[in-house]
Amino acid sequence: MKNKIYYIIGIVFLTVALSGCSDFLDVADKGSASSAEFPSTADEASLMLTSSYAGSHTQGLYTFYWLPMGIYLYDHTSDTDGSYDSRATQMSNNTNTDCPYNTQTYSDVMRWIQLSNAALEGIEKVRAIHPADSVKLNYMKGQALFNRALAYWHGQIFFEIESKAGGLGLPLIDKVPKTIDDMMPQRATTKDSWNFIISTLNEAIPLLKGYNTDLTRATEWAAKGLLAKSYMQARYPKKAVPVLEDIINHSGKILVATSIYENMFYADEKNEFNKENLYEIDMTTNINQNGPWGGYTTGSGMPMVFAPWPLNLDFRDKASTTSYDIITNSTGGWGNNYVHDANVARFGFALPAPGNRIHNPNFVKSAARSITNIPWIIDPAYTAQSNDIRTNKKADPRLYVSAGQPYVDTFKDALGRETFYDRSPALNNMPQVLSWNHKKFTNRLGTESQLNFSSPANYPIIRLADIYLLYAEALKDSLPSKALEYVNKVHRRAYNYPVDSPSPVDYTSFTDATMAQAGDHLHNDVLKYERWAELFAEGQWWFDVRRWEIGKEEVAYYKATRSGTLVYNGIGYYVQPIPKTEIERYHGNLQQSEGY
């Protein structure tokens, strides 16, 4: 069983109330908590720390919006099967200032920061009362500092203006606001914002040293991993190198076997919290809450949005032998997002879409339906070509970890039967669209509704493959041979070769051809391609696109979404607007992001 962290709504709100102005709790009810009394023990401070962990489990973040209504749209991991609400402008990297998803994400990032600051103040309050508990409190402080840094990390990736151009980051808040002025800090510079994250992590690391057994919580290596990523994102690669080397040489982390890697994203408990992951957001199905609505939850509703479409084995047979039935099964979720077709091609899968299904000459109407006994199938020659590409690794094997191919790949339907991935009904009149289904973080053993829209799939935030590739990036110009070896370690694992020995799939230079197509700017860029392929659909590529400022090249490659042609709009491509409601709260005194 998972070592679960339970998030309690009452405690979350109690944390904020007790840490703000005391007037709110000047009450006569003796059964109520008092700001003068709470927290007064290490156990009570621990409740506040738990609330800081709850900051990641909110609608704007890992409970609902972060991937499907955020990063997947900005970096074109996803296309959508329709032009939905504000997602249409988000996919065009031109988010509206009143976009509800962007607004909720901003609000929840700031709430996460607030919860972490409240925990830090509570910990220090208890320390003054019980100095003998300092060792325990130091560990708690290190965790709260990590959570605050992680919250800022998420906020910077959406709302900072690019470092190379100078610009603005987030307001820097290191204490619980006590006055109106405290509640309306101005945006710091981008440089100061990253330096704040870095200093927070440097404060946390010695407090977390030696605490590495409870992987549901911040560890020394989680903090060092986030520090290394922050150094790279802030464009301090020389400072990142010793931290990356410390992780590689002393953390005990390894690239797990291919068989584990292929199964670590799907709520398979024996493969979560494995020896590769430095930190992951822990999720657990919440049987008492239906989906991500209504506050805090221990599970995630994100897979509900990009739930795969199972082929309905019981669809109607039609008399005609020249057309096919478009009746499909419910996803058990929304199924709004599918993998953008350009991503399938970038992995090296060069076949077009299979086109219309054809009549199955071997169908036995009186027999039970199965994937081999259905009235309509795709051309068997197409299936054979697809399987040849997969078996002989003519496409990157990581494609099949990340995405499900309609009518070729299988998973379980709501009745537990083996069925094919299908296409969204909205795309059945567009046979030229590939529309591969999202696979990472989804339920392969049934439908999302069977999980109560509360998925237990964990989200890896930092894992060793990411660290290896960042190390290669930092060394690429000074020690290219060593850097290339760390790229090859990750590449070998993808192809199921021993990671520390030369293999037939090794790159010989950083400009070798990759699986990306000719004309794609990743075709001869080994480092960028490997980061894209290895971390696909994990919410990391948007970080890289922004760090390298390759938005113009990405627009040229993806070209369009279902919502229209993509247009590169300069610096505005990389940053989301500060929500209109937040600007209004500041009476217009909070500076908006450039381009909005």
Coordinates of all heavy atoms in Angstrom, one line a residue, residues 398 468-469 472-473 482-492 507 510 526-527 530:
R398 N 9.5 4.8 -26.8 CA 8.9 5.6 -25.8 C 7.5 6.1 -26.3 O 6.7 6.6 -25.5 CB 9.8 6.8 -25.4 CG 10.9 6.3 -24.5 CD 12.0 7.3 -24.3 NE 12.8 7.5 -25.5 CZ 14.0 8.2 -25.6 NH1 14.5 8.6 -24.5 NH2 14.6 8.3 -26.7
Y468 N 20.2 13.2 -15.6 CA 21.2 12.9 -16.6 C 21.2 13.8 -17.7 O 22.3 14.2 -18.2 CB 21.0 11.4 -17.0 CG 21.6 10.3 -16.2 CD1 22.1 10.6 -14.9 CD2 21.6 9.0 -16.6 CE1 22.6 9.6 -14.1 CE2 22.1 8.0 -15.8 CZ 22.6 8.3 -14.6 OH 23.1 7.3 -13.8
L469 N 20.0 14.1 -18.2 CA 19.9 14.9 -19.5 C 20.3 16.4 -19.1 O 20.9 17.1 -20.0 CB 18.5 14.8 -20.1 CG 18.2 13.4 -20.6 CD1 16.8 13.3 -21.0 CD2 19.1 13.1 -21.8
A472 N 24.0 16.4 -19.0 CA 24.6 16.5 -20.4 C 24.5 17.9 -21.0 O 25.4 18.4 -21.6 CB 23.8 15.5 -21.3
E473 N 23.3 18.5 -20.7 CA 23.2 19.9 -21.2 C 24.2 20.9 -20.6 O 24.8 21.7 -21.3 CB 21.8 20.4 -20.9 CG 21.4 21.8 -21.4 CD 20.0 22.2 -21.1 OE1 19.2 21.4 -20.7 OE2 19.8 23.4 -21.1
K482 N 31.7 13.2 -22.4 CA 31.1 12.8 -21.2 C 29.6 13.1 -21.2 O 28.7 12.3 -20.8 CB 31.7 13.5 -20.0 CG 31.2 13.1 -18.7 CD 32.0 13.7 -17.5 CE 31.6 13.2 -16.2 NZ 32.4 13.8 -15.0
A483 N 29.3 14.3 -21.8 CA 27.8 14.7 -21.9 C 27.1 13.7 -22.7 O 26.0 13.3 -22.4 CB 27.7 16.1 -22.4
L484 N 27.7 13.3 -23.9 CA 27.0 12.4 -24.8 C 26.8 11.1 -24.2 O 25.7 10.4 -24.4 CB 27.8 12.3 -26.1 CG 27.1 11.6 -27.2 CD1 25.8 12.3 -27.7 CD2 28.0 11.4 -28.4
E485 N 27.7 10.6 -23.3 CA 27.5 9.3 -22.6 C 26.3 9.3 -21.7 O 25.6 8.3 -21.7 CB 28.8 9.0 -21.8 CG 28.6 7.8 -20.9 CD 28.3 6.5 -21.6 OE1 28.5 6.4 -22.9 OE2 27.9 5.5 -20.9
Y486 N 26.0 10.5 -21.1 CA 24.8 10.5 -20.2 C 23.5 10.6 -21.1 O 22.5 10.0 -20.6 CB 24.9 11.7 -19.2 CG 25.7 11.3 -18.0 CD1 27.1 11.4 -18.0 CD2 25.1 10.7 -17.0 CE1 27.9 11.0 -16.9 CE2 25.9 10.2 -15.9 CZ 27.3 10.4 -15.9 OH 28.0 10.0 -14.8
V487 N 23.6 11.2 -22.2 CA 22.4 11.1 -23.1 C 22.2 9.6 -23.6 O 21.1 9.1 -23.6 CB 22.6 12.0 -24.4 CG1 21.5 11.8 -25.4 CG2 22.7 13.5 -23.9
N488 N 23.3 9.0 -23.9 CA 23.2 7.6 -24.4 C 22.7 6.6 -23.3 O 22.0 5.6 -23.6 CB 24.6 7.1 -24.9 CG 24.8 7.5 -26.4 OD1 23.8 7.6 -27.1 ND2 26.0 7.8 -26.7
K489 N 23.0 6.9 -22.0 CA 22.5 6.0 -21.0 C 21.0 6.0 -21.0 O 20.3 5.0 -20.9 CB 23.0 6.5 -19.6 CG 24.5 6.3 -19.3 CD 24.9 6.9 -18.0 CE 26.4 6.8 -17.7 NZ 26.9 5.5 -17.7
V490 N 20.4 7.2 -21.1 CA 18.9 7.3 -21.2 C 18.4 6.7 -22.5 O 17.4 6.0 -22.4 CB 18.5 8.8 -21.1 CG1 17.0 9.0 -21.3 CG2 19.0 9.4 -19.8
H491 N 19.1 6.9 -23.6 CA 18.7 6.4 -24.9 C 18.7 4.8 -24.9 O 17.8 4.2 -25.4 CB 19.6 6.9 -25.9 CG 19.1 6.7 -27.3 ND1 17.9 7.1 -27.9 CD2 19.7 6.0 -28.4 CE1 17.8 6.7 -29.1 NE2 18.9 6.0 -29.4
R492 N 19.8 4.3 -24.3 CA 19.9 2.8 -24.2 C 18.7 2.2 -23.4 O 18.2 1.2 -23.8 CB 21.2 2.4 -23.6 CG 22.5 2.7 -24.4 CD 23.7 2.6 -23.5 NE 24.9 3.2 -24.2 CZ 25.9 3.8 -23.6 NH1 25.9 3.8 -22.2 NH2 26.9 4.3 -24.2
Y507 N 24.2 7.3 -29.9 CA 24.5 8.4 -30.7 C 26.1 8.6 -30.7 O 26.7 8.3 -29.7 CB 23.9 9.7 -30.1 CG 22.4 9.7 -30.1 CD1 21.7 9.7 -28.9 CD2 21.7 9.8 -31.3 CE1 20.3 9.7 -28.9 CE2 20.3 9.9 -31.3 CZ 19.6 9.8 -30.1 OH 18.2 9.9 -30.0
F510 N 26.3 15.0 -31.0 CA 25.0 15.7 -30.7 C 24.3 16.2 -31.9 O 23.1 16.7 -31.8 CB 25.4 16.9 -29.8 CG 25.6 16.6 -28.3 CD1 26.8 16.5 -27.8 CD2 24.5 16.3 -27.5 CE1 27.0 16.1 -26.5 CE2 24.7 16.0 -26.2 CZ 25.9 15.9 -25.7
V526 N 20.3 16.1 -30.8 CA 20.2 14.9 -30.0 C 19.7 15.2 -28.6 O 18.8 14.6 -28.0 CB 21.5 14.1 -29.9 CG1 21.5 13.1 -28.8 CG2 21.7 13.4 -31.3
L527 N 20.3 16.3 -28.0 CA 19.9 16.6 -26.6 C 18.5 17.0 -26.5 O 17.8 16.5 -25.6 CB 20.9 17.7 -26.1 CG 20.6 18.2 -24.7 CD1 20.9 17.1 -23.7 CD2 21.4 19.4 -24.3
E530 N 16.1 14.0 -27.1 CA 16.0 13.1 -26.0 C 15.3 13.6 -24.8 O 14.5 12.9 -24.1 CB 17.4 12.7 -25.6 CG 18.1 11.6 -26.5 CD 17.3 10.3 -26.5 OE1 17.0 9.8 -25.5 OE2 17.0 9.8 -27.6

